Amino acid sequence: EGGGDGGGRKLVEIVLAYGLGVATAHRALADVDLMARLLTRVKERGSDLPQLFRRAARPKRRFVAQVSFEMKHLAKEAGFGWDGDRRQWWRMMPPEDVETLAFRVVQRDA
């Protein structure tokens, strides 16, 4: 997971990471094709797709990372995005995943 919206990486980055080619991106039909090929590849590699979907569908809350400027790389690596207006690293995530982080976070209302 990553980016300013607290979600995952960009579709094209994920598809490329799975060794799939990308001819056209950011067109509805092309994106649907990429998703279908990606899900096929994930299943071919033995992942339990229903379990992955259940995990992704868990309720999420907004969390703000409590990191210094020098430690901001920890927040970035954990998928937190920078909110320049609020001047904070944040991410939408399930509360039960907080314990996996290497730094403190505070839950905030969106």
Side-chain angles (χ1 to χ4, degrees), residues 18 20 35-50 52-53:
Y18 273 86
L20 297 168
M35 282 298 300
R37 292 190 299 127
L38 175 61
L39 292 172
T40 299
R41 179 63 54 93
V42 168
K43 185 171 170 109
E44 288 170 354
R45 292 190 176 180
S47 292
D48 179 355
L49 287 178
L52 291 175
F53 285 125

Side-chain angles (χ1 to χ4, degrees), residues 2 13 21 25-26 39-40 49-50 59 61-62 64-65 91:
E13 292 174 3
H26 307 301
L39 292 172
T40 299
L49 287 178
R61 303 287 179 262
R62 181 184 173 102
V64 174
R91 175 180 166 193

